[in-house]
């Protein structure tokens, strides 16, 4: 079992070469607060209520989209052990300071991120 605490963020994708328009839409049109920083893969992060919305350019013809929902778990090691026991492949991505994380896909290809923040 994976002990989930809360939804952390959702990553959506936009077509390549539309970054400036996306920043304008989310920060000016929708008036969302941008979370500045050097985010993985050039993502744009904004506050979306009490969660984060991550926006990243992606080739729309890509088979394995990077879109995903991310949840905070109480014990990432236990969650990974559970996934391995269930023969669910775990993948990793770039390092983000202050958190450990991993990814998995469901049988239909939907991607999920599990996060445990440093204490």
């Amino acid at each position: 079992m994976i002990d989930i605490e809360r939804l952390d963020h959702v990553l959506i994708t936009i077509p390549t070469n539309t970054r400036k328009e996306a920043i304008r839409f989310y920060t000016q049109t929708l008036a969302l607060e941008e979370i500045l920083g050097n985010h993985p893969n050039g993502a744009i992060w904004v506050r979306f209520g009490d969660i984060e919305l991550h926006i990243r350019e992606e080739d729309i013809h890509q088979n394995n989209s990077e879109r995903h929902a991310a949840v905070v778990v109480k014990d990432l090691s236990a969650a990974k052990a559970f996934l391995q026991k269930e023969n669910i492949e775990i993948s990793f991505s770039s390092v983000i300071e202050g958190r450990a994380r991993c990814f998995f896909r469901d049988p239909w290809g939907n991607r999920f991120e599990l996060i445990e923040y440093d204490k």
Side-chain angles (χ1 to χ4, degrees):
M1 178 174 133
I2 299 174
D3 197 357
I4 297 171
E5 291 185 341
R6 65 179 174 83
L7 179 65
D8 183 75
H9 70 268
V10 174
L11 181 135
I12 62 170
T13 59
I14 56 174
T16 54
N17 300 314
T18 61
R19 179 182 173 79
K20 288 181 183 177
E21 293 88 346
I23 291 172
R24 186 171 29 258
F25 177 78
Y26 287 100
T27 64
Q28 294 176 15
T29 304
L30 296 184
L32 299 176
E33 174 193 353
E34 185 174 3
I35 303 166
L36 299 176
N38 185 17
H39 306 301
N41 300 304
I44 303 159
W45 291 11
V46 295
R47 297 217 184 280
F48 200 69
D50 61 353
I51 65 166
E52 294 176 0
L53 179 63
H54 297 179
I55 305 143
R56 189 166 67 203
E57 293 177 311
E58 181 177 276
D59 178 358
I60 61 171
H61 303 294
Q62 181 175 321
N63 287 337
N64 289 320
S65 175
E66 297 297 314
R67 293 180 190 103
H68 65 270
V71 295
V72 177
V73 298
K74 291 186 179 180
D75 185 340
L76 185 60
S77 293
K80 289 192 290 190
F82 172 79
L83 292 171
Q84 289 169 332
K85 182 176 105 356
E86 295 297 324
N87 295 314
I88 299 171
E89 184 178 333
I90 299 169
S91 64
F92 300 92
S93 186
S94 56
V95 174
I96 299 177
E97 187 176 330
R99 67 183 84 173
R101 64 192 187 132
C102 70
F103 295 86
F104 71 95
R105 290 186 187 270
D106 70 11
W108 302 274
N110 297 300
R111 188 172 191 237
F112 296 90
E113 179 179 5
L114 304 178
I115 299 171
E116 182 177 13
Y117 282 92
D118 293 349
K119 297 177 178 149

